[in-house]
Amino acid sequence: MFCSISSFKNNIKEGRFGVNSCKNTGIKSSLAPRIIFTVVGLAKEVVMVLIIFLVLLALVLIGFLIIYNMLVTLKVRIENAWSQIDVQLKRRHDLIPNLVEAVKGYMAYEKDTLECVIKARSQAVQANGMKDKSEAENFLSQTLRSLFAVVEKYPELKANQNVLKLQEELTSTENRISFARQYYNDETARYNTQIQMIPIVFVARMFAFTAKDFFQIEDKSEKEVPKVQL
Amino acid sequence: MPFSFIDIEEKKSRVISFLFVFIILFYFLTAFLILFVVENYALRSEISFKYFFWPPLNHIAVIFLIALLVGFCHWTISTSNLIDKMSLVIGAEPLDAKDAYHQVFKNIVEEVSVAIGGTRLEPLVIPSAGMNAFALQDFNKRACIGVTEGLLARLSRSQLEAVVAHEAGHIKSGDCLSTTVICSLSEIYETILMKMNSGFRGLRGRGAGLAGLVYLVIGFMNFMSKLMRAFISRQREYRADALSVRLTRDPLSLAEALELISSRWRGEGLPEARMESIFIVNPKMNSLDDASGFISDVFSTHPPIDERIAILADMAHLTHEQIEERLKNFKRVSPVVSPETKSAEGIFSTHGRWSIFLNDAWCGPFSLEELMKIEAVKPDTWVTPEGHAVTKHAYEEGALIEMFKERGEKNDFDCPHCRAPLIEMSYEGAPFWRCSCCEGSFVGQDKISRILIRADKVFSDETLRLAGVVMKEKEKFNLGITRTKMNNAWILDCPKCRSKMRRQFFVYSYPIEIDRCASCDSIWFDKQELEILQYLYENKEEFFDGKGF
């Protein structure tokens, strides 16, 4: 009854639409135009759907690429931020021996504090892995704070230009570490939010973009509520 | 999302290309108007507006080509070597590596550079006592942040950090580049204007027509540089404030810094004040900045300072009045140990041994004879006398000064009074030369503001007494008489460039007689005069009923 599918295709290809194209199929002439119009209309729709489908597929692919590239950029930025923290931590480790050397002569009675700083430093240098590292660094920060509390007690130390200079360098390094940490955490927060958002989450799942950890303060003294003594 | 730089980058390039089109259009209109005037007045007798509304096409083509050429030249000249040129105009210099204040500033800039994710920032300093800060950026992503000596000396570390973060906010949010380009573009006009003003004053009599045309062009240029300012939005200051708070998480320090900057001399009158839009606070006080409304929104480059402080104070849960109250007792903690405080403990023995600080380490102690042979010991080397836990510069030890003289320290300059070699020392972190005979001081032009603005020095009673005497004398003087008496007294030769030095007052408010070199502007102070001047400057509230001068 109907024309074969292959002949439709041929018709479409060669642009022959109309009565003549179906003459050889032997359909009665009164019925033929109506059926042909329906069939040709159907074929047009199929093609349209095909084109739309292809375009959509291309769009999805492009979106896919854009999202993937964005995720990679964010991830590399986080890695860079992390290496920044490392650079600043290294800087602090290098400064501490100088500081100890400068202070040593004056602080004969404060050997414990100095040894504590040296020990904390060597621990921090050896620490590996995120958790170990942040613990060791927080311990180092604590000991340094107590060292500077001691320095305050010695007027000659406070009047020593060299110690002042080192103190400034160390303050600056502490600031840099906290800024680097802040930047790292900001970038991590942005990345973590992105990989949980709706279109992005599919790409992230597919290529195993997992959430990153924040660089947190594990310092217990900083978390404690300060006790007020009346 | 926190600041997403991708959108900003797009916006940045749009502003810049818009600016270029604007310049071409401007030149086109100017050239057209000039042609119109020439066509009407020079070639025809009667004025015809037909030409104005319907000019021949080939004329338009020629004018357009000319405009394109001129605009392109202007653009290329202005945007090449952007940062070096601009810092030359502003008078900004690289940091002094030896100076403790500069070291702190360098550290702060590096900290902020870490905070914004590692963009390299170059620190610069303007040797001026005014209070201001600026940022520059060029097309190669090179970025500079500069502050004045006044800011370094008067702001605390956290306040300075907030100001630097504000400037970094300008750089990161991308408006710094367009501001720098606009400033550089209008800078050419300013230079041409200044040169023309002197050049054409004489010409006016001869060719009034030509001079008229030139003045027309100058008027246009003035108008143009005003118009280009309209590209600089007021909002960017609010945005940079917000970014500064985002980076440092410290709105209070920025509010305090703005309050301190706005309540003092912001640097008006200096050459750099021309480039108002790159500074954190407009160096000129003007009513446009303080007003709100459409016109000031379009033409002003800075928002009202009170509004900015109010927003920041609100973030810190304080009011403007509370911030003013906090600042009343504010005093900056100095990053240097002032040598003067230590010498109060008494003069050290002249015969003894000294430890010296060389190559970042203490060595010694050495005797005087040994020290003679160590070439590396300079007048500003840190020394500690044996048996004392005190550190001081070598030049503060009488015995060591004698040693330097004997050693025949090769000096660049001789004292203009007694011809003895001058010894290089540092005063408030600034290098200067002192004669060990008459104790006069020779100070370079760019170092004087650093000396005056910093308050680390502790003054001797003698200085205080002399300062009192000077101010009493001032009341007796009729300044008019002294001015005529003092002028044109050429007495000394400049130790540096050998030209004559003019004897004058430093400023008429502080009647200190100084000798200023006519060619290099270096200043010679007689004994104690530098200390008195600095004392008067730092305590001007006391002497001028709190009004300043």
Side-chain angles (χ1 to χ4, degrees), chain B residues 513-541:
Chain B
E513 276 179 34
I514 55 153
D515 297 281
R516 194 190 287 269
C517 173
S519 66
C520 68
D521 267 350
S522 306
I523 302 173
W524 173 264
F525 293 92
D526 286 338
K527 182 181 181 183
Q528 286 279 341
E529 280 179 352
L530 182 58
E531 284 86 350
I532 297 169
L533 178 65
Q534 193 197 2
Y535 179 74
L536 291 178
Y537 188 86
E538 275 165 19
N539 298 286
K540 58 183 168 207
E541 280 86 1

Side-chain angles (χ1 to χ4, degrees), chain B residues 437-453:
Chain B
C437 290
C438 65
E439 293 187 37
S441 323
F442 179 64
V443 185
Q445 150 72 12
D446 53 337
K447 299 293 183 293
I448 187 73
S449 58
R450 200 196 291 181
I451 289 176
L452 289 186
I453 198 82

Side-chain angles (χ1 to χ4, degrees), chain A residues 100-136:
Chain A
V100 170
E101 204 57 38
V103 171
K104 208 157 69 181
Y106 295 90
M107 294 167 69
Y109 305 107
E110 310 279 354
K111 278 239 164 74
D112 293 350
T113 327
L114 283 181
E115 271 164 18
C116 207
V117 172
I118 295 166
K119 215 177 91 189
R121 179 193 173 259
S122 61
Q123 266 177 17
V125 171
Q126 281 159 12
N128 273 322
M130 179 90 147
K131 201 159 170 256
D132 258 15
K133 216 171 210 168
S134 55
E135 262 172 26

Side-chain angles (χ1 to χ4, degrees), chain B residues 109-121:
Chain B
V109 169
E110 279 170 16
E111 282 162 31
V112 170
S113 136
V114 169
I116 57 174
T119 311
R120 228 180 81 75
L121 304 170

Side-chain angles (χ1 to χ4, degrees), chain A residues 82 85-86 89 92 123-140 181 184 212-220 223:
Chain A
W82 177 248
I85 298 181
D86 261 359
L89 289 179
R92 174 156 82 168
Q123 266 177 17
V125 171
Q126 281 159 12
N128 273 322
M130 179 90 147
K131 201 159 170 256
D132 258 15
K133 216 171 210 168
S134 55
E135 262 172 26
E137 290 301 334
N138 286 323
F139 182 57
L140 183 59
R181 192 157 69 180
Y184 172 81
K212 296 263 180 192
D213 293 334
F214 290 103
F215 194 102
Q216 270 160 343
I217 295 178
E218 297 290 341
D219 193 347
K220 285 196 182 95
K223 271 190 180 169

Side-chain angles (χ1 to χ4, degrees), chain A residues 117-209:
Chain A
V117 172
I118 295 166
K119 215 177 91 189
R121 179 193 173 259
S122 61
Q123 266 177 17
V125 171
Q126 281 159 12
N128 273 322
M130 179 90 147
K131 201 159 170 256
D132 258 15
K133 216 171 210 168
S134 55
E135 262 172 26
E137 290 301 334
N138 286 323
F139 182 57
L140 183 59
S141 300
Q142 254 176 326
T143 55
L144 277 177
R145 233 171 288 149
S146 59
L147 177 68
F148 279 117
V150 171
V151 167
E152 290 293 309
K153 279 194 272 176
Y154 290 75
E156 305 96 52
L157 267 180
K158 269 167 69 185
N160 184 329
Q161 185 68 50
N162 195 29
V163 172
L164 263 190
K165 208 168 139 192
L166 279 169
Q167 199 166 2
E168 157 63 26
E169 284 299 309
L170 217 59
T171 314
S172 172
T173 312
E174 295 286 325
N175 283 351
R176 281 176 214 203
I177 292 171
S178 65
F179 277 141
R181 192 157 69 180
Q182 175 183 309
Y183 182 71
Y184 172 81
N185 282 348
D186 281 352
E187 289 298 327
T188 310
R190 197 193 307 180
Y191 170 80
N192 284 354
T193 327
Q194 288 291 330
I195 60 169
Q196 287 171 55
M197 291 206 160
I198 270 285
I200 303 168
V201 71
F202 305 122
V203 186
R205 288 264 171 83
M206 201 177 292
F207 291 97
F209 283 97

